[in-house]
Amino acid sequence: MTRAVWVKADDTVGDWDDRRARITAALEAGADWVLVDEDDVERVRELGDINVAAFRTDGNVTLVDDIDEAEDETGDAATRADAIVVGKNGEGDATIDLPEDFSGSADLSTLRRDGDFDRGAYVRILGTEYERFAETAAEEADHTIVIGDDWTIIPLENLIARIGDETDLVA
């Protein structure tokens, strides 16, 4: 297991000035990844050299297929994230209810799309059903980002034991 430092700098941090300050601090500290909203990718690239993961939150799962096409149209990889992350404003953060049968999950369907890019899943651990959802997402995701409000129930240890080397587990 290797360690990497991820810094979350999406719209929940504040306006662009607040996000830029956090991203700049991450760059100066030598962080490995920054997690931002998709609209900020180009601005992050202007700040410095860091891996950029971007939340895909527009709800149109077919757009994940268009990532490679968007790079071809612009001719500029600076507008493209190194990894696309699903789950914000979706099932992963409980904005949309988890389906009882995960085969009907929009987030998981998005992760399963073909394409030459890293995929990430963002899951707030709100109970055992979200642990199971994170496990299932880890089968498809290169990076599985888990947020816990109460780590006393030890879900992180459970996830490490169950997921193993299937994904990069970010907590």
Side-chain angles (χ1 to χ4, degrees):
M1 177 185 297
T2 60
R3 295 180 189 251
V5 175
W6 285 61
V7 175
K8 187 172 175 270
D10 64 340
D11 62 358
T12 62
V13 170
D15 64 13
W16 171 244
D17 289 334
D18 294 334
R19 296 190 310 268
R20 182 180 60 221
R22 183 175 283 198
I23 294 163
T24 300
L27 284 161
E28 291 171 353
D32 301 292
W33 285 85
V34 65
L35 176 59
V36 299
D37 292 312
E38 198 167 30
D39 294 340
D40 286 340
V41 172
E42 189 170 2
R43 290 195 250 188
V44 172
R45 298 274 190 227
E46 292 170 1
L47 293 175
D49 186 22
I50 192 166
N51 291 313
V52 180
F55 282 117
R56 177 57 63 99
T57 58
D58 56 17
N60 187 344
V61 295
T62 61
L63 290 177
V64 172
D65 291 334
D66 298 334
I67 292 169
D68 290 326
E69 292 173 25
E71 180 184 358
D72 294 339
E73 289 173 14
T74 64
D76 185 6
T79 59
R80 180 177 162 203
D82 298 301
I84 296 298
V85 178
V86 299
K88 180 180 176 182
N89 298 331
E91 297 155 342
D93 69 0
T95 301
I96 298 172
D97 291 337
L98 284 176
E100 288 187 30
D101 177 7
F102 291 158
S103 66
S105 164
D107 286 351
L108 295 177
S109 293
T110 301
L111 287 173
R112 291 181 182 115
R113 301 243 180 236
D114 290 335
D116 186 25
F117 52 90
D118 278 6
R119 292 165 178 75
Y122 177 83
V123 182
R124 287 185 57 216
I125 305 298
L126 301 171
T128 56
E129 68 276 15
Y130 285 90
E131 278 186 60
R132 288 187 303 108
F133 187 70
E135 289 176 48
T136 304
E139 295 171 8
E140 304 295 334
D142 299 296
H143 313 282
T144 304
I145 302 158
V146 293
I147 305 295
D149 297 327
D150 179 10
W151 289 112
T152 59
I153 58 172
I154 317 175
L156 188 57
E157 287 88 348
N158 295 343
L159 289 171
I160 291 169
R162 290 185 207 132
I163 293 172
D165 294 330
E166 290 179 38
T167 186
D168 291 337
L169 186 61
V170 181

